Amino acid sequence: MSRSRFLGLVLTAASTLLLAQDVSAQGAPPAPPVQVANPLAKRVANWDEYTGRFEASEQVEVRARVSGFIDSVHFRDGALVKKGDLLFTIDQRPYKLAVDVARADVARAKAQVELSQNEVERAEGLTQNRTITARDVDQRRANLNSAIGTQQGAEANLKNAELNLEWTEVRAPISGRISNRRVDPGNLISGGQSGATLLTTIVAVDPIYFSFDVSEADYLRYARMANLREGASKDTGTQVEVKLADEAKWDRRGRVNFLDNALNARSATIRGRAVFENKDQFLTPGVFGRLRFYAGESDALLVPDTAISSDQANKVVLTVGPENKVVPKTIVLGPLSEGLRIVRSGLTTEDKVIVGGGANPMVRPGVAVTPHPGQIKVATTN
């Protein structure tokens, strides 16, 4: 091969290689654009939240104290009743007859007492003339005492009969909302201290209680702060807020009025209770809600929820590190504050968090991106 031909082949190969590199460079995809911003540093109010359930402040099972046939019902199912309102009437005729019999026994006993009293007075007068013996006088005095005892027993039986007659009118023991009647008129019910028929139930809902469980770690923290148990033992109590499942704002305010005396060994929690006003009767026992305690203020870093993703059991945010490459960082989250999520650990104020463009599938750890300045703002309220 001649020298000139060899040089020609070398130049051709070099030109082809340069052309291939140029085509490859033109076909490489550009770095995906993202918006980055430093976490928002702000002093925020700390709140500890718990899930709980509303409970009646008082609950009573209405049962009759005497047996008999239900004569009439005097309430509407589900209505509000006041303490002392008449709920059921039991057939009173046998109890009225018992009262009449007891009164007759009292009258008979009183007549016997009067007779015995007269005999004692007459005997005491005859004793001076020695017409009767002292033994006869003692016997008449014993008869008088026996008659007095019989009268007292008859009067007690009369009071018992009158009390049974009074109990034929079953009245509301507390004020509150009544359930439906469990027994209709005409049915025979059992009364008394055991085995009595359940007639209905009443729950007091103003005020209403909210029960919740506090973890052992939170309890220890509160105990050191001395703001929970001491508050529960006072009339003021620790102030709390609650919201229902369909509510966005914490508009319902109450106070802690009870903290249990021991932790549950199985769940490592302690039961607490807060009391709330319920004048409109809207809150109903059994409804779930979220309760929160005010736990002071602290400096915190905030990021939007949209910038947070999950990596197995961890929460992760994507940041832009050296050479504009994506770097994931594991974080520990706190509650929401002004529409942003509090980050308890895992970020610094110098980190560049990807707040826009992170949904692009090309934006993943280790990939170079083109960062553009973004901004993190708190939610505005009207």
Side-chain angles (χ1 to χ4, degrees), residues 218-279:
D218 288 346
Y219 169 73
L220 293 176
R221 178 160 51 88
Y222 289 133
R224 297 184 190 282
M225 294 170 59
N227 69 341
L228 188 62
R229 184 175 294 280
E230 290 184 6
S233 63
K234 299 177 182 179
D235 292 336
T236 54
T238 302
Q239 298 297 315
V240 293
E241 299 176 352
V242 73
K243 67 177 181 179
L244 305 182
D246 62 342
E247 294 177 341
K249 297 182 178 179
W250 303 84
D251 292 333
R252 306 182 186 275
R253 293 174 174 82
R255 58 182 178 84
V256 176
N257 70 338
F258 167 76
L259 190 67
D260 211 345
N261 58 0
L263 275 77
N264 187 307
R266 293 185 176 181
S267 62
T269 59
I270 189 168
R271 183 168 59 94
R273 187 182 70 196
V275 59
F276 293 84
E277 291 187 355
N278 191 26
K279 297 186 182 300

Side-chain angles (χ1 to χ4, degrees), residues 41-56:
K42 195 173 186 296
R43 192 163 185 83
V44 298
N46 294 318
W47 297 89
D48 292 328
E49 298 185 12
Y50 304 95
T51 299
R53 184 194 296 267
F54 285 99
E55 296 178 351

Side-chain angles (χ1 to χ4, degrees), residues 10 32 50 70 79 96 176 192 199 292 326 351 357 360:
V10 171
Y50 304 95
I70 295 294
K96 288 181 178 179
L199 302 179
R292 70 177 185 177
V326 177
D351 287 326
N360 188 337

Side-chain angles (χ1 to χ4, degrees), residues 303 307-309 315-319 327-331 343 346-347 353:
V303 298
I308 302 171
S309 58
K315 295 296 183 180
V316 177
V317 293
L318 299 180
T319 64
V327 178
K329 290 200 172 184
T330 302
I331 58 175
V343 178
L347 286 180
V353 178

Side-chain angles (χ1 to χ4, degrees), residues 118-134 136-137 140:
N118 291 336
E119 290 181 349
V120 169
E121 292 176 355
R122 188 179 302 110
E124 289 176 347
L126 294 175
T127 302
Q128 298 175 358
N129 299 330
R130 296 185 178 182
T131 304
I132 62 174
T133 63
D136 293 334
V137 176
R140 293 185 182 186

Side-chain angles (χ1 to χ4, degrees), residues 127-164:
T127 302
Q128 298 175 358
N129 299 330
R130 296 185 178 182
T131 304
I132 62 174
T133 63
R135 182 175 183 278
D136 293 334
V137 176
D138 293 340
Q139 182 63 46
R140 293 185 182 186
R141 286 176 179 172
N143 293 338
L144 174 60
N145 291 333
S146 177
I148 292 174
T150 302
Q151 178 184 344
Q152 291 175 345
E155 290 174 346
N157 290 335
L158 174 59
K159 291 180 181 179
N160 184 65
E162 291 174 341
L163 187 59
N164 287 335

Side-chain angles (χ1 to χ4, degrees), residues 179-190:
S179 182
N180 64 302
R181 62 179 182 267
R182 309 296 170 83
V183 180
D184 293 322
N187 285 284
L188 177 64
I189 65 167
S190 298

